Amino acid sequence: MSRTANRLAQGETLSRAVWSVLAEQGLERLTVRAVATAAGCTTGLVMHRFPNRQALLLHARQLLHGVTRARVEALEAEAGSPRAALRAVLHQGMALDEQTRQEAIVWMGFLAAAVTDDELIAEHRRNNRAWRERVERLTAAAAPEWTAGRVATVALALIAMTEGVAVYAAADPAAFPATDQERMLDATLTAYGLG
């Protein structure tokens, strides 16, 4: 195996370990030592790539953004109509299965840490603005007769509903099963005339 391939493999192993610790053990247990244990390597190797906890959190958020961006772009491309695209993109943002539940947990952990950290909150705001722009664009395509103000308001309401559901479902999956989350999304879309 080449040196470059070995570095890439190490990077992937460390990325999976960062994600795993944050999603399964929580923000308070995300440490260099915990990541090293999860990756089966030394703390020195982890610190070579992630010198501190902030770097671990930033990496987890960037992973989350990359995974969800790729997924929503594929969903948009596959959708048969603007309304189907809007529903599919919002749907994937809820905590419907183990993967999306972990994504919601990682997002919450990052946001909790970002509140008091200028670099982390800047990353959050950048990604949040990109998400809002996407949902506004999809909402405008689904309701081309709406004013820009109505599009912005409804898009924000849809984001708040789906992200709120994801948070509740991530914390208590039994109380918010996937079928209930999907019904909530469909009812909300219908209420806004987008169903």
Side-chain angles (χ1 to χ4, degrees):
M1 184 181 286
S2 72
R3 223 172 192 191
T4 301
N6 191 33
R7 276 197 299 269
L8 288 173
Q10 283 179 342
E12 289 174 13
T13 298
L14 291 175
S15 290
R16 281 192 304 272
V18 169
W19 185 273
S20 173
V21 171
L22 186 54
E24 296 170 13
Q25 299 179 38
L27 175 64
E28 66 283 348
R29 292 198 175 97
L30 182 66
T31 64
V32 169
R33 184 177 307 280
V35 170
T37 299
C41 67
T42 66
T43 56
L45 181 62
V46 176
M47 291 185 72
H48 181 70
R49 178 115 184 228
F50 306 111
N52 54 41
R53 189 167 189 244
Q54 181 187 40
L56 292 170
L57 284 164
L58 191 56
H59 183 68
R61 181 62 180 100
Q62 289 165 344
L63 284 173
L64 178 60
H65 182 70
V67 166
T68 56
R69 184 183 65 239
R71 189 168 58 229
V72 299
E73 286 174 359
L75 289 167
E76 268 192 71
E78 295 166 4
S81 70
R83 288 185 179 191
L86 177 63
R87 185 191 185 282
V89 166
L90 292 169
H91 182 265
Q92 68 77 43
M94 296 187 294
L96 300 167
D97 55 27
E98 187 55 28
Q99 177 183 341
T100 52
R101 189 181 80 75
Q102 283 191 354
E103 290 170 0
I105 291 168
V106 167
W107 183 82
M108 288 186 297
F110 179 85
L111 185 57
V115 171
T116 58
D117 185 294
D118 291 340
E119 184 179 356
L120 296 179
I121 200 67
E123 179 74 11
H124 169 74
R125 288 176 179 159
R126 190 170 29 259
N127 291 320
N128 192 52
R129 285 183 185 120
W131 175 240
R132 187 171 178 177
E133 287 168 8
R134 181 181 299 272
V135 175
E136 284 182 5
R137 178 177 50 75
L138 292 170
T139 302
E145 70 282 4
W146 287 3
T147 65
R150 177 149 174 81
V151 166
T153 299
V154 171
L156 188 56
L158 292 170
I159 290 168
M161 192 283 295
T162 54
E163 289 185 0
V165 168
V167 168
Y168 281 111
D172 190 359
F176 293 88
T179 53
D180 288 356
Q181 293 178 62
E182 290 167 343
R183 280 195 295 267
M184 292 168 67
L185 174 59
D186 290 336
T188 304
L189 288 168
T190 298
Y192 284 114
L194 296 169

